[in-house]
Amino acid sequence: SQQGEEDPQALSIQEGENATMNCSYKTSINNLQWYRQNSGRGLVHLILIRSNEREKHSGRLRVTLDTSKKSSSLLITASRAADTASYFCATAKNDYKLSFGAGTTVTVRA
Amino acid sequence: ETGVTQTPRHLVMGMTNKKSLKCEQHLGHNAMYWYKQSAKKPLELMFVYNFKEQTENNSVPSRFSPECPNSSHLFLHLHTLQPEDSALYLCASSQDDQPQHFGDGTRLSIL
């Protein structure tokens, strides 16, 4: 069943601007992961944040997790045209299964 | 190159045909997955295999039949599909509960 829900569904920004997208989920989790999907390709793992972590960075990506609000955010700083893609959050409990949201489509305009 | 290869990339078939999707991972992972991705919907987990044993069948109709002959290969056998089965089918692998590595998918169209 769907666990994560991303917001907004779509986002259009100018190159160089920051992009923020949010993910909400319903039940307790072990970790939350963000993935990117370019058009016509598979998903690529970006970052994993565990339930006992509050913030994580990877290059231009910053992820926060608020377990009390059951929400996470992904921030992409100084966006580039190559960041144009769909972004998905996925939650994991105590097994191998991931529950994905429907994704946020990000368009970076040159 | 993600280390997970899916073939074919595109498949068009009639409702009475039988075809198979293939997935191969070169990462030495012990778990493999089939997902269905339809437009504007979340990825749907279909099957999970761990050390070649099926550990999850997410209420998938019997017209989809998975096969995992070894930990590197995963097949999805298709027969008597319906138009609503048209979608992108993604294969993924992982080592235990580590992040998953995805193939580029098979775009399936049912006529």
Side-chain angles (χ1 to χ4, degrees), chain A residues 6-8 11 13 18-24 32-37 44-49 54-65 71-77 83 85-90 103-104 106:
Chain A
E6 292 92 344
D7 171 62
L11 185 58
I13 56 174
N18 296 343
T20 300
M21 59 211 85
N22 303 296
C23 171
S24 59
L32 186 144
Q33 303 175 33
W34 285 92
Y35 288 79
R36 183 189 74 230
Q37 184 179 32
V44 174
H45 177 257
L46 296 176
I47 200 164
L48 180 153
I49 187 165
R54 291 296 166 258
E55 188 170 313
K56 217 164 176 182
H57 297 255
S58 176
R60 292 183 297 110
L61 305 179
R62 172 178 168 252
V63 168
T64 63
L65 179 64
S71 68
S72 173
S73 68
L74 170 65
L75 168 68
I76 305 173
T77 60
D83 295 327
S86 293
Y87 292 82
F88 298 87
C89 69
T104 294
V106 175

Side-chain angles (χ1 to χ4, degrees), chain A residues 2 19-20 23 28 70 76 86 93 100 108-109:
Chain A
Q2 179 184 352
T20 300
C23 171
S28 63
K70 293 187 170 58
I76 305 173
S86 293
K93 292 193 173 183
F100 284 85
V108 181
R109 305 186 307 273

Side-chain angles (χ1 to χ4, degrees), chain A residues 1-2 4 30-31 33 35 37 40-45 48 50 88 95-98 100-102 105, chain B residues 9 30-31 33 35 37 40-43 45 48 50 56 88 90 94 96-100 102-104:
Chain A
S1 62
Q2 179 184 352
N30 180 287
N31 66 69
Q33 303 175 33
Y35 288 79
Q37 184 179 32
R41 305 297 299 274
L43 279 71
V44 174
H45 177 257
L48 180 153
R50 300 193 183 283
F88 298 87
D95 53 23
Y96 295 17
K97 294 185 293 184
L98 292 178
F100 284 85
T105 300
Chain B
R9 290 296 312 277
N30 60 1
Y33 313 78
Y35 289 90
Q37 186 177 32
K40 307 298 183 187
K41 292 174 68 175
L43 265 74
L45 178 64
V48 180
N50 184 17
E56 181 79 13
L88 181 67
L90 291 164
S94 72
D96 300 321
D97 62 349
Q98 295 302 302
Q100 294 178 18
F102 284 79
D104 285 335

Side-chain angles (χ1 to χ4, degrees), chain B:
Chain B
E1 180 59 53
T2 65
V4 179
T5 303
Q6 289 188 243
T7 54
R9 290 296 312 277
H10 302 272
L11 180 61
V12 179
M13 56 187 285
M15 288 193 286
T16 58
N17 290 159
K18 289 185 180 180
K19 295 286 184 184
S20 296
L21 310 185
K22 180 182 176 183
C23 176
E24 183 175 1
Q25 58 101 356
H26 311 275
L27 301 168
H29 290 165
N30 60 1
M32 297 187 76
Y33 313 78
W34 279 118
Y35 289 90
K36 176 184 179 183
Q37 186 177 32
S38 304
K40 307 298 183 187
K41 292 174 68 175
L43 265 74
E44 299 173 45
L45 178 64
M46 300 175 72
F47 301 104
V48 180
Y49 277 82
N50 184 17
F51 288 109
K52 305 186 300 176
E53 299 297 321
Q54 187 180 126
T55 60
E56 181 79 13
N57 177 339
N58 212 16
S59 303
V60 180
S62 59
R63 57 185 184 270
F64 294 92
S65 175
E67 179 190 0
C68 189
N70 55 62
S71 57
S72 297
H73 293 85
L74 186 63
F75 295 89
L76 188 62
H77 304 298
L78 317 171
H79 67 96
T80 324
L81 294 193
Q82 305 299 309
E84 62 265 28
D85 298 324
S86 296
L88 181 67
Y89 288 85
L90 291 164
C91 173
S93 71
S94 72
Q95 183 61 31
D96 300 321
D97 62 349
Q98 295 302 302
Q100 294 178 18
H101 294 245
F102 284 79
D104 285 335
T106 295
R107 174 68 61 186
L108 177 64
S109 299
I110 306 300
L111 301 178

